[in-house]
Amino acid sequence: MFRIALIAAAAAAALTAAPARALDVQSFSKEVSPCADFYDYVNGPWLASTQLPADQTRIGSFDALRVANDRLLANALAELVKKPDLQTSPGLRQVAAYFASGMDRAAIEAGGLKPVKPLLDRVASLKTTDDLPAVLAELGRVQIAAPVGTYVRPDPKNTTVQVLNLTQSGLGLPDRDDYFKDTDLAKRLRAAYRQYAERLLKASGADASSDTLDALMAFEARLADATMPRAAMRDPLAVYNPMSPAELAEKAPGLDWQAWLKALTLNGKRTDGVDRVIVGQPAFLKRVAELAASTPVSTWKTYLRMRVLDNSAARLPAVYADAAFDYYDKTITGLEQHKPREQEVIMMIGGRTGGAPLGLALGELFVARAFSPEAQRRATLLIDDVKAAMREKIQNVAWMSEQTKVRALEKLAAMQPKIGAPTTWPQYEGLRLDPKDFAGNQLKASAWAFQEQLKDLDRPSDRTRWTMSPYIVNAQAGGLNEITFPAGILQPPFFDAKADDAVNYGGIGMVIGHEITHHFDDRGRQFDSGGSLNDWWTPADAEAYKANADRVVALYESYEPVPGTHINGRLTLGENISDMAGMPIAFDALQNALKRTGQRDKVDGFTPEQRFFLSNALVWRNKTREAALLNQLRTDPHSPGKYRVVATMSNMPEFAQAFSCKAGDAMVAPKPIRVW
């Protein structure tokens, strides 16, 4: 996924401006050579003169696009609320009610804990651990992963069918290691989380004594101890453990898994649970069962109450919302004050990637106002060009055998692009949201979405479904050998239907190359043309690929964005490979486009090749609070923006040629890494 790891806002003046449609050539450094540090050459003066607003953790040149998208949505939502006759579809009606409830702070305060009281009462009703399966299932049905997360997706080894997946979840600290490390940061995070738990429990009228909090922290530490590290989870075989409920009970004794599955999956058609599940982390489920058998009910009640409150805190009265802000935003990311309320509400409705239950309803509203047929046409041409460039890369790669090349080309040909928006929108049958019940709406939407997932268990996989909303400034490589480019990112500075090819290929072209490469990165390469987990590589080719990947790991681990903290080369490997291959692929696609158009004129004194690289470096212009950067380095599979520029370009001879860089320059790698 090409997740924008830089989401933030520009300084106040920039936030109100439309996204720039031309390269900001006047902002380039007069003191730094492009061959010494291309990121600083393009972005150094901006970094030196830009201050972080108090309500942002990161700011970047492209963020005006996200802000513009949010502003468009906020205005459109406010209009929907005022003019019900504009609510012409089920999705628009539901999202209007949801937005209204989020903006009505008086109703939120008046409602108190009423939206979550049924769940809190259910947790309080626990008498023995024999009651756990039913209570855990009730939380799971509103998608509170406490402590096991569940979702229905196509079976990774047979994507024509869908299956229930069980995965580790339910930790309050950002990373498993935060429960054990002796660093100042880990200690600070543990103290902040403990205080957060104390505030939520006290506000809700529950016991928050030192002994209770000690037990809570010890319980979560036991879960963390069995939690698979993030980097290890990137191995698709390691997290693919199919088993029957009986096998799960045998491997993880201590909890009645069959009773839990029956209660979890109960709907109109399904009353007997499921015959098969895929367990992501067997050791974690074994630990959950051990804790079910050995932990006092009182501790389970504290833990589950905390998970319910944490899940809804940002949507509850200020005493809860402020506690959540202080922990998640102030402590973890360094934020100083709230973002504008409408931005917060849109984020809570749609989620980070628009995958929340009402995310597509926001997308329906956005696309009607912000995506033209011309943008669709030109984006399609860009994708075709980048795919053609990838085809040439595969055909000409020296280390791959002809046998594996044939399979790779089959996979590329079968790759399904999704551009702009889906052709149909969800109808939200059975969902009725209340314009006066923000936290209750979240739970209603989550329950509705989970029931929709349960229906998928009886249906074939839908390869037309969108899991990312069109308003999002993002793109992704989906699990069914698909690539998705929402309308939200097909706008300046990534893409401008009126801009020259060099700017577009350096922006959205690189994004396209990045997403295509994800299906050929260290993880994605293990899936075949249908998206199924299937080893189609010869052993020699796989070994050659691994050798190149190891060089990528070593390169990124040499970077130290914060003194004492390096990039985690294994955690970020897939994203780094996709950057390092996506850029050359997009560059080759630009060359093919230039041959087609014959347009090679300089613009602002720069050649098309130079503008390609300048465009990409401007996309990654950003300034980040140290707390947010540290959290990114520990938990995010994406490298910070600067290194997405210098690592990729310094390993491209095409960059050195474009800017006349010489051997020995910092932006010229002695032995360039080429994965593809």
Side-chain angles (χ1 to χ4, degrees), residues 390-391 394-395 397 400-415 481 519-520 524-538 541 676:
M390 181 61 171
R391 190 178 305 115
I394 293 171
Q395 290 169 337
V397 66
M400 180 178 279
S401 69
E402 291 301 318
Q403 174 184 341
T404 305
K405 283 183 182 180
V406 168
R407 300 293 299 276
L409 291 169
E410 288 175 354
K411 181 173 182 177
L412 180 66
M415 195 175 294
N481 194 25
H519 288 294
F520 298 93
R525 72 173 188 83
Q526 301 178 62
F527 295 82
D528 63 21
S529 60
S532 293
L533 185 56
N534 176 23
D535 189 358
W536 49 273
W537 292 63
T538 67
D541 290 335
W676 289 99

Side-chain angles (χ1 to χ4, degrees), residues 394-462:
I394 293 171
Q395 290 169 337
N396 297 322
V397 66
W399 51 264
M400 180 178 279
S401 69
E402 291 301 318
Q403 174 184 341
T404 305
K405 283 183 182 180
V406 168
R407 300 293 299 276
L409 291 169
E410 288 175 354
K411 181 173 182 177
L412 180 66
M415 195 175 294
Q416 177 187 3
K418 295 179 177 178
I419 305 169
T423 56
T424 60
W425 303 102
Q427 296 301 297
Y428 298 99
E429 295 93 342
L431 180 63
R432 295 292 181 271
L433 300 185
D434 184 342
K436 296 290 185 180
D437 187 9
F438 193 34
N441 286 338
Q442 176 204 17
L443 296 173
K444 289 177 187 176
S446 296
W448 174 86
F450 188 69
Q451 287 301 311
E452 291 298 300
Q453 287 194 40
L454 291 183
K455 293 176 185 177
D456 286 343
L457 289 171
D458 303 307
R459 299 187 288 214
S461 299
D462 182 359

Side-chain angles (χ1 to χ4, degrees), residues 158-185:
N158 179 12
T159 54
T160 63
V161 300
Q162 305 197 73
V163 64
L164 182 67
N165 291 255
L166 313 180
T167 186
Q168 63 190 24
S169 190
L171 298 181
L173 284 165
D175 188 69
R176 67 177 302 280
D177 291 346
D178 294 332
Y179 288 88
F180 314 111
K181 282 188 174 180
D182 197 36
T183 63
D184 290 342
L185 175 59

Side-chain angles (χ1 to χ4, degrees), residues 488-643:
I489 199 173
L490 294 173
Q491 322 238 358
F494 289 98
F495 171 76
D496 183 350
K498 299 177 181 178
D500 62 288
D501 280 337
V503 171
N504 280 331
Y505 282 78
I508 198 64
M510 185 272 180
V511 176
I512 295 167
H514 174 103
E515 298 305 337
I516 289 174
T517 305
H518 262 315
H519 288 294
F520 298 93
D521 68 16
D522 64 305
R523 186 180 186 278
R525 72 173 188 83
Q526 301 178 62
F527 295 82
D528 63 21
S529 60
S532 293
L533 185 56
N534 176 23
D535 189 358
W536 49 273
W537 292 63
T538 67
D541 290 335
E543 193 59 34
Y545 187 99
K546 183 178 181 300
N548 279 330
D550 288 344
R551 292 186 66 198
V552 175
V553 171
L555 171 65
Y556 280 84
E557 288 189 342
S558 70
Y559 296 129
E560 192 176 2
V562 177
T565 305
H566 291 252
I567 293 174
N568 183 333
R570 289 293 171 191
L571 176 61
T572 58
L573 180 57
E575 299 297 333
N576 296 339
I577 286 176
S578 295
D579 280 349
M580 294 194 71
M583 277 287 284
I585 293 165
F587 185 88
D588 289 353
L590 172 63
Q591 299 308 304
N592 292 336
L594 293 175
K595 289 176 185 177
R596 183 173 61 241
T597 64
Q599 296 177 355
R600 299 198 59 90
D601 295 339
K602 287 186 176 182
V603 179
D604 295 327
F606 293 101
T607 68
E609 288 78 8
Q610 290 173 327
R611 286 172 65 77
F612 170 89
F613 292 111
L614 292 168
S615 174
N616 186 260
L618 280 167
V619 160
W620 290 115
R621 171 180 286 185
N622 77 99
K623 191 167 189 175
T624 310
R625 294 187 188 280
E626 185 171 295
L629 182 56
L630 282 168
N631 191 58
Q632 179 184 346
L633 291 169
R634 297 182 317 111
T635 65
D636 197 316
H638 301 79
S639 296
K642 173 171 183 172
Y643 306 96

